[in-house]
Amino acid sequence: MEIREESDRRGAEVIEELSARVFDRYLRWDRYSVLLYVKVGGKIFVAREGETALGGAFLRRMGDGFWELTLIGVFPEYRGRGVGKALMERILEEVPGEIYLHVEAENAPAINLYLSFGFEKVRKISRFYSTGEDAYLMVLKRTPRRPAKASEASG
Ligand SMILES: CC(C)(COP(=O)(O)OP(=O)(O)OC[C@H]1O[C@@H](n2cnc3c(N)ncnc32)[C@H](O)[C@@H]1OP(=O)(O)O)[C@@H](O)C(=O)NCCC(=O)NCCS
């Protein structure tokens, strides 16, 4: 399995499929909307085995050093074998700055994944989803990169 950055049409198709198959109860992302966000700095990562997509993630750039993890998902047949973890590792390597996300309050697999990478629950938002489910807002706070030498910091 390898994780590729596919911030292009092919990656957008995987996000569309994940959105339809894995997140069908909520918001449906289509490839064209995803590509619009890629144009303004959004990123797509896809986990593949050969050419088969196992899962993927879509991040929207919300400002300087500020990102939303809009969608991360693994197709049901490939879960529980480290794909989500590998996607998250790659995201944290490639995406600088703070990342926030919303997750269903009862979604233990996803919440565990986020907690294990240092995300913190900031608040619970009741009836966040159209299904009536509550959500947690979770944030990964990362300190900005410091200059290499103390002398540079003091200017
Ligand atoms: C959440 C999701 C992406 C995890 O992907 P995955 O490839 O199955 O996860 P991994 O095998 O890489 O496991 C990574 C960590 O996630 C957590 N996790 C995964 N499956 C879990 C489960 N069934 N129960 C509890 N924790 C679980 C654990 O912390 C695990 O680490 P560990 O194996 O060291 O305990 C996947 O379950 C999924 O696509 N769910 C549906 C979509 C979704 O809910 N996305 C997030 C919505 S905001």
Side-chain angles (χ1 to χ4, degrees), residues 37 40-43 59-68 70:
Y37 282 100
V40 291
K43 286 181 183 291
L59 292 108
R60 290 192 285 176
R61 188 170 171 274
M62 308 307 273
D64 236 3
F66 194 55
W67 300 75
E68 180 190 73
T70 305

Side-chain angles (χ1 to χ4, degrees), residues 3-40:
I3 308 296
R4 301 184 197 154
E5 181 173 352
E6 292 186 16
S7 300
D8 55 20
R9 193 185 170 81
R10 199 158 174 250
E13 285 171 12
V14 175
I15 299 305
E16 180 179 89
E17 196 187 341
L18 274 170
S19 186
R21 279 183 58 199
V22 176
F23 295 91
D24 59 334
R25 292 178 305 147
Y26 305 123
L27 186 150
R28 286 283 285 269
W29 280 100
D30 64 86
R31 68 187 75 180
Y32 307 103
S33 313
V34 171
L35 280 173
L36 284 177
Y37 282 100
V38 167
K39 280 193 178 149
V40 291

Side-chain angles (χ1 to χ4, degrees), residues 6-7 17-18 24 33-34 41 52 54 59 63 68 70-71 76 81 84 97 116 118 121 124-125 142 147 149 151:
E6 292 186 16
S7 300
E17 196 187 341
L18 274 170
D24 59 334
S33 313
V34 171
T52 306
L54 314 182
L59 292 108
E68 180 190 73
T70 305
L71 183 155
R81 41 178 266 200
S116 72
K121 290 176 183 169
K124 194 169 186 176
I125 306 170
R142 291 192 288 181
K149 291 180 198 158
S151 58

Side-chain angles (χ1 to χ4, degrees), residues 90-119:
R90 184 67 186 275
I91 290 167
L92 297 196
E93 276 169 29
E94 304 277 339
V95 176
E98 264 187 45
I99 303 175
Y100 76 90
L101 58 85
H102 293 97
V103 58
E104 306 97 307
E106 306 299 326
N107 189 345
I111 292 172
N112 285 342
L113 176 69
Y114 303 142
L115 289 173
S116 72
F117 279 91
F119 282 79

